[in-house]
């Protein structure tokens, strides 16, 4: 159903000139990684003073956006949102001809597809990392958009972290981004709720955390197994039925209420399972909840 993404190694010796537009927390890290890898790096930021540290380390401060765009064949932009990208680069779109614009600003897939109309060399990107790890193998970045443009600059983009390319649809990297962030927020909400519940019994979060992490390692195994069921469209209850899950979900709601802990999160978890069961999935695996998320139950 899906193509296998293309993962680039972080090796290479090309040191092509690179421009970084946007020197917030993330933009600073991106420019620092390019500089550290030996790329001649031109920078521009709305508040010019944020370039001072980079200039001291060898970056060139562009006096204007237009100068920043024309300084390099590879232009990386990392601003707060798509509106800022449109406002900042929109008036200079003609300067992008023949260049690659890599937009590492977070946004939606529609925003990425709109911006891709600006230039044949548009690549959208999502950064699955914090600034501190940019330039190390711990950082992973997702890209999609113009294949030739990505290939041309694959080595330079690999300086930022492990780079994966998802093909020509410029919206796909943004879609992966929000889906992965959803996984993060769901996991963190569950941890925080559990910490509140155990905290009510005077168990510190730091005592709970190693158990949560150990359990998460098992949960990653469930993710892989359920992914196969989802792609097959068959949800045999090889481990536990959804009905069995529902019974224990009710315990979580009752324990939360008894401890004075907010019940919204576990009640939502319970409600999702009840909808799947009402649609006939009592005896199937947890993966059958996908039918609720697909809007079919
Ligand atoms: N920080 C992270 O851990 C992280 C991780 C993954 C992805 N990201 C994404 O990276 C992007 C940047 O995040 P950040 O952490 O660097 O944010 P940030 O520190 O708040 O920096 C925002 C940047 O956008 C610029 N900006 C905002 N509005 C602008 C406008 N209207 N015109 C021109 N420039 C404008 C700011 O310029 P000024 O300096 O002049 O205000 C600054 O350079 C976001 O889309 C974020 O979701 C961040």
């Amino acid at each position: 159903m899906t193509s296998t993404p293309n993962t680039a190694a972080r090796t290479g010796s090309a040191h092509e000139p690179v421009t970084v537009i946007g020197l917030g927390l993330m933009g600073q890290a991106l420019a620092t990684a390019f500089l550290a890898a030996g790329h001649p790096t031109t920078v521009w930021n709305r508040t010019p003073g944020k370039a001072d540290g980079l200039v001291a380390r060898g970056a060139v401060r562009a006096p204007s956006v237009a100068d920043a765009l024309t300084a390099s064949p590879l232009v990386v932009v990392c601003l707060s949102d798509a509106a800022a990208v449109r406002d900042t680069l929109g008036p200079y779109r003609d300067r992008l001809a023949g260049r690659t614009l890599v937009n590492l600003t977070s946004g939606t897939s529609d925003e990425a597809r709109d911006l891709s109309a600006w230039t044949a060399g548009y690549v959208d990107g999502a950064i699955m990392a914090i600034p501190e790890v940019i330039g190390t193998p711990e950082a992973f970045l997702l890209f999609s958009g113009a294949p030739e443009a990505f290939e041309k600059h694959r080595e330079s983009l690999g300086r930022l972290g492990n780079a994966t390319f998802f093909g020509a649809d410029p919206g796909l990297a943004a879609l992966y981004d929000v889906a992965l962030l959803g996984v993060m927020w769901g996991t963190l909400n569950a941890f925080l709720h559990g910490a509140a519940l155990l905290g009510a019994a005077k168990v510190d979060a730091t005592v709970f955390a190693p158990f949560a992490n150990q359990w998460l390692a098992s949960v990653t195994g469930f993710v892989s197994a359920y992914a196969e069921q989802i792609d097959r469209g068959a949800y045999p209850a090889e481990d536990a039925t959804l009905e069995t899950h529902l019974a224990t979900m009710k315990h979580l709601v009752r324990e939360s209420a008894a401890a004075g802990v907010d019940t919204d999160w576990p009640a939502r978890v319970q409600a999702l399972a009840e909808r799947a069961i009402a649609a006939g999935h009592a005896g199937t695996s947890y993966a059958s909840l996908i039918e609720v998320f697909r809007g079919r139950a």
Side-chain angles (χ1 to χ4, degrees), residues 18-64:
V18 174
T19 287
V20 178
I21 294 179
L23 302 174
L25 293 171
M26 186 52 83
Q28 295 267 348
L30 301 173
T32 298
F34 284 129
L35 273 176
H39 288 270
T41 305
T42 299
V43 293
W44 182 91
N45 193 61
R46 178 180 62 178
T47 308
K50 286 193 187 170
D52 291 352
L54 290 161
V55 170
R57 278 175 275 142
V60 173
R61 188 194 323 259
S64 68

Side-chain angles (χ1 to χ4, degrees), residues 230 235 286-296:
I230 291 164
Y235 320 113
Y286 200 86
S288 59
L289 265 177
I290 187 78
E291 299 295 337
V292 176
F293 288 111
R294 283 175 169 159
R296 294 184 196 156

